[in-house]
Amino acid sequence: MKRVTGIGGIFFKSSDPKALGEWYRKHLGLDVEAWGGVTFEPAVAGEPGAGSTNWCPFKADSTYFAPSTAPFMINFRVADLHGLLAALREEGCNVVGEPQDSEFGKFGWVMDPDGNKLELWEPPAGS
């Protein structure tokens, strides 16, 4: 029997969900709908932007999410990491750390207005 097949959603609390949704729309291009959320259509394997979604628990004392104190971090797939980070800096967003390149792709980070660290990931070519 097949059980879990992927991530169905990411849900978290905010003191001002409407303003936070607007920040995500403006700076990350999420199509926040009237009901307050976003629906991502599944990617089709072999098409640009297709790829995996990861699930990974971290040790309770991990500092990987710092400077956020939230017990979670959202990873967003992006098409042009360096271009997006430059745009976010220009827009006055709090980009943290230095971008990292690895065999798994390019990674960068930004803080949202609620203090949540977001990981931006540009997968390697062909992924």
Side-chain angles (χ1 to χ4, degrees), residues 6-14 20 24 30 35-40 53-55 70-77 112 116-119:
I7 301 295
I10 300 169
F11 309 102
F12 54 95
K13 296 177 182 180
S14 171
L20 190 62
Y24 277 77
L30 273 61
W35 55 270
V38 176
T39 301
F40 293 98
T53 298
N54 294 306
W55 176 89
F72 67 89
M73 182 175 65
I74 302 170
N75 171 292
F76 288 102
R77 181 187 314 268
D112 76 14
N116 301 308
K117 185 177 181 184
L118 310 174
E119 186 168 66

Side-chain angles (χ1 to χ4, degrees), residues 18-115:
K18 188 171 182 171
L20 190 62
E22 177 57 22
W23 184 91
Y24 277 77
R25 185 205 58 75
K26 178 179 179 182
H27 298 292
L28 297 184
L30 273 61
D31 185 18
V32 179
E33 299 181 36
W35 55 270
V38 176
T39 301
F40 293 98
E41 296 301 324
V44 177
E47 290 186 6
S52 62
T53 298
N54 294 306
W55 176 89
C56 181
F58 282 71
K59 288 185 175 185
D61 62 353
S62 172
T63 59
Y64 192 66
F65 302 171
S68 175
T69 58
F72 67 89
M73 182 175 65
I74 302 170
N75 171 292
F76 288 102
R77 181 187 314 268
V78 301
D80 175 8
L81 176 70
H82 294 291
L84 177 56
L85 290 175
L88 292 171
R89 283 186 187 98
E90 217 171 272
E91 294 165 358
C93 296
N94 183 12
V95 174
V96 295
E98 292 299 319
Q100 304 289 316
D101 290 357
S102 79
E103 63 186 285
F104 304 108
K106 299 174 185 175
F107 297 87
W109 301 269
V110 63
M111 301 295 288
D112 76 14
D114 278 2

